[in-house]
Amino acid sequence: MIGNHWFKAIAIADDVSYLDAATDHFEKELLEAGAECEIKGSLEQAAARLPGIFQYRYHQLQEVEAILEYLNIELKKLRSIHFRKYKETYNTDLASTVIEKYIDGEDDIVAWTKAVNAFALIRNQFAGITKSLDIKNFQIGHATKLRVMGIEDAFLD
């Protein structure tokens, strides 16, 4: 499905309850995308399909990056709330570095950080897919040039 369906559900609607479903969706898409990186069959057909595949996977990468940015914004917001709480409620004047250490141990901060990390992994995997598709384009182009030059089967020993 092309469209920013998950971004709208999570960030625009401000509803992180869809995060697990989005994660599952993108993990399934990554499995399918891995097969699209292979070169098999007709070079002409592979070359013809490649722009559409790349556009689709790059769009998914952009959606994942948008969701990740939303998660990072929410994490910063939550950290700010905790920072203010520590700054205003402690009798002693705590240094900012000490407050940051306390904030890092808060359960909700840990949970958000884990969610951000999991989505960052998905983003990195989609970046790998787009890089792989770029390499596939390069290989198809060079294989086509070799065929034009009359070199059908070349082996390296």
Side-chain angles (χ1 to χ4, degrees):
M1 165 197 317
I2 290 194
N4 47 8
H5 169 268
W6 293 108
F7 177 72
K8 287 179 182 176
I10 295 168
I12 303 295
D14 202 21
D15 188 356
V16 293
S17 66
Y18 290 105
L19 193 58
D20 287 338
T23 300
D24 291 342
H25 167 78
F26 286 117
E27 286 175 347
K28 288 176 188 170
E29 289 292 313
L30 282 166
L31 291 175
E32 291 176 19
E36 294 169 348
C37 294
E38 297 175 8
I39 299 176
K40 56 185 175 188
S42 164
L43 278 179
E44 292 80 14
Q45 289 178 356
R49 285 191 305 268
L50 191 57
I53 293 170
F54 185 84
Q55 184 271 338
Y56 181 69
R57 297 305 174 187
Y58 189 75
H59 179 82
Q60 287 180 317
L61 171 63
Q62 296 306 305
E63 185 175 12
V64 168
E65 285 182 342
I67 293 169
L68 183 59
E69 182 61 24
Y70 168 79
L71 294 175
N72 279 318
I73 290 167
E74 289 297 313
L75 178 59
K76 289 176 188 175
K77 178 180 167 184
L78 191 57
R79 290 181 70 83
S80 174
I81 291 168
H82 281 289
F83 188 90
R84 200 171 326 122
K85 177 185 79 173
Y86 280 105
K87 200 69 169 162
E88 293 173 355
T89 59
Y90 270 74
N91 293 336
T92 59
D93 192 25
L94 296 174
S96 293
T97 55
V98 173
I99 293 173
E100 291 294 326
K101 295 292 181 194
Y102 288 164
I103 291 171
D104 288 340
E106 293 285 341
D107 289 338
D108 52 352
I109 297 293
V110 170
W112 271 99
T113 304
K114 287 178 179 178
V116 166
N117 187 49
F119 234 76
L121 174 63
I122 291 171
R123 187 258 333 264
N124 294 341
Q125 290 170 329
F126 267 105
I129 291 294
T130 57
K131 181 65 176 170
S132 180
L133 290 171
D134 193 33
I135 292 168
K136 179 179 178 178
N137 181 50
F138 178 80
Q139 291 175 332
I140 288 173
H142 282 8
T144 303
K145 287 177 186 176
L146 288 173
R147 281 193 176 172
V148 168
M149 293 175 17
I151 305 171
E152 295 292 324
D153 295 320
F155 293 96
L156 299 174
D157 290 322

